[in-house]
Amino acid sequence: MLGALCLLETALVQAGQPIVPVAVTDQLPPGIGPNTGFLYFGYGSALNDAGQVAFTATLIGVGINSTNDTGVFSGAPGTLELVAREGSPAPGPGSKIYREGFYPPGLSDS
C-alpha cells in the first residue's frame, strides 16, 4: 500500500497552487542511508507560510531497528533534511542520545 504525506493549506489550494507530495512510503529518507525508506508517517506535521514542512516518520530498511526507527524531517518539498533521529547523538554537551517519543513538530513562519 502506497502512503503519502501531503500537507494542504486551504489558502494554497484556493490560489491554484499544486498539491505536492512531501514524502512517500518506501521513498529514500534524507540522511538515513541506502536501502531504507519511510514506512509510515505519524505524530502530526506542520506547515508554515514559507511552504516548509516538518513531520515525524517511522523508518524501515537495512540497519534500522526498534532503537533507531523514528526521525523528524523538515524543509521544503524536494529539499527535506533529517532534523533528529531516535538513537542518534543529540547536540550539546554530554553524551545524550535521542530516544523514542518525538512529539508533533512545529515551525515558525520565518
Side-chain angles (χ1 to χ4, degrees):
M1 176 182 213
L2 181 65
L5 177 68
C6 295
L7 299 176
L8 308 177
E9 187 167 326
T10 304
L12 292 176
V13 174
Q14 290 174 344
Q17 298 296 319
I19 298 171
V20 178
V22 175
V24 180
T25 54
D26 292 328
Q27 173 184 341
L28 182 66
I32 302 298
N35 302 312
T36 62
F38 291 117
L39 178 60
Y40 60 86
F41 308 99
Y43 306 119
S45 57
L47 172 67
N48 69 13
D49 290 344
Q52 299 167 318
V53 299
F55 62 92
T56 60
T58 298
L59 308 167
I60 192 168
V62 175
I64 296 176
N65 57 52
S66 63
T67 67
N68 66 1
D69 65 349
T70 305
V72 178
F73 299 85
S74 182
T79 61
L80 292 176
E81 294 183 5
L82 175 65
V83 175
R85 181 179 177 191
E86 176 188 13
S88 295
S95 57
K96 296 180 177 19
I97 61 169
Y98 288 110
R99 300 282 186 205
E100 64 182 308
F102 292 117
Y103 293 97
L107 288 173
S108 70
D109 283 327
S110 53

